[in-house]
Amino acid sequence: QKEVEQDPGPLSVPEGAIVSLNCTYSNSAFQYFMWYRQYSRKGPELLMYTYSSGNKEDGRFTAQVDKSSKYISLFIRDSQPSDSATYLCAMKGTNAGKSTFGDGTTLTVKP
Amino acid sequence: KAGVTQTPRYLIKTRGQQVTLSCSPISGHRSVSWYQQTPGQGLQFLFEYFSETQRNKGNFPGRFSGRQFSNSRSEMNVSTLELGDSALYLCASSLSRDRFEAFFGQGTRLTVV
């Protein structure tokens, strides 16, 4: 079983929809929870990160972490065609070491 | 502020050859991590370098190696290329080892034929 499991998708929504992207994890040592957006043929771009539990909002994006359930989510409000990309969740402990990534969810927002 | 720079962007190599990829981190960043990304396996950790020393290594064969120079630039080398090595190789840099990878390069797309 993978340490990080991400809803596989693909996901296709109409413009303006609310999108929910989700990951679960098994390692209790994870403290940093990140979301990256990756456009085709590009490197991942950090969208948001959360340290420990709670919510974080940035414009149309909201990241939620529920450590008790080992579940994280990224919500996109008023989705736009420019949001069409692959979204990767990733997690890391506070000590030195690698980040562990989910496999990604590909989102298409149709005009 | 320049981002993480990877060269070359694209490479086509033949089975059995070797290849060297380069990564220049953001100025001041001392930690460099390498990842392999394939459609079937997602992002898989290759190795991490900090202060010219390999600090962490993923589960890849010894054909995959790397190094870091005193200016924090890093290279990775793959010898005796196999078809399965075709992938996007990504480099990420961060200020210190306990921070997550905030900045990725555009990647090097390696195709082995």
Side-chain angles (χ1 to χ4, degrees), chain A residues 2 32 34 36 38 41-46 49 88 92-103, chain B residues 9-10 35 37 40-43 45 48 56 88 90 97-107 109:
Chain A
K2 293 185 176 182
Y32 287 104
M34 297 81 77
Y36 296 83
Q38 186 175 23
R41 300 187 179 278
K42 301 284 188 182
E45 165 197 4
L46 180 68
Y49 76 92
L88 300 157
K92 188 181 181 309
T94 51
N95 296 324
K98 66 180 180 72
S99 295
T100 303
F101 286 78
D103 288 345
Chain B
R9 289 292 312 277
Y10 302 94
Y35 289 83
Q37 187 176 33
Q41 300 293 322
L43 262 90
F45 173 75
E48 176 206 0
N56 247 319
L88 181 66
L90 292 161
R97 296 191 61 212
D98 59 347
R99 294 289 294 170
F100 57 86
E101 295 86 343
F103 303 97
F104 277 86
Q106 298 279 48
R109 172 77 59 184

Side-chain angles (χ1 to χ4, degrees), chain B residues 3-102:
Chain B
V4 179
T5 304
Q6 290 188 248
T7 56
R9 289 292 312 277
Y10 302 94
L11 265 179
I12 299 177
K13 289 286 187 178
T14 305
R15 267 183 304 175
Q17 286 187 313
Q18 75 161 16
V19 67
T20 299
L21 313 181
S22 178
C23 171
S24 293
I26 289 173
S27 178
H29 284 196
R30 297 170 62 195
S31 178
V32 173
S33 299
W34 288 88
Y35 289 83
Q36 181 196 65
Q37 187 176 33
T38 58
Q41 300 293 322
L43 262 90
Q44 292 200 292
F45 173 75
L46 278 158
F47 21 65
E48 176 206 0
Y49 285 88
F50 183 82
S51 292
E52 301 176 66
T53 302
Q54 188 180 91
R55 305 290 180 159
N56 247 319
K57 190 177 194 303
N59 190 24
F60 278 83
R63 301 185 295 108
F64 291 80
S65 62
R67 58 178 176 169
Q68 187 180 34
F69 302 95
S70 58
N71 62 358
S72 294
R73 189 177 71 86
S74 178
E75 288 181 348
M76 68 163 281
N77 184 275
V78 189
S79 62
T80 320
L81 283 165
E82 300 177 0
L83 294 178
D85 297 333
S86 295
L88 181 66
Y89 289 89
L90 292 161
C91 164
S93 77
S94 55
L95 274 169
S96 59
R97 296 191 61 212
D98 59 347
R99 294 289 294 170
F100 57 86
E101 295 86 343

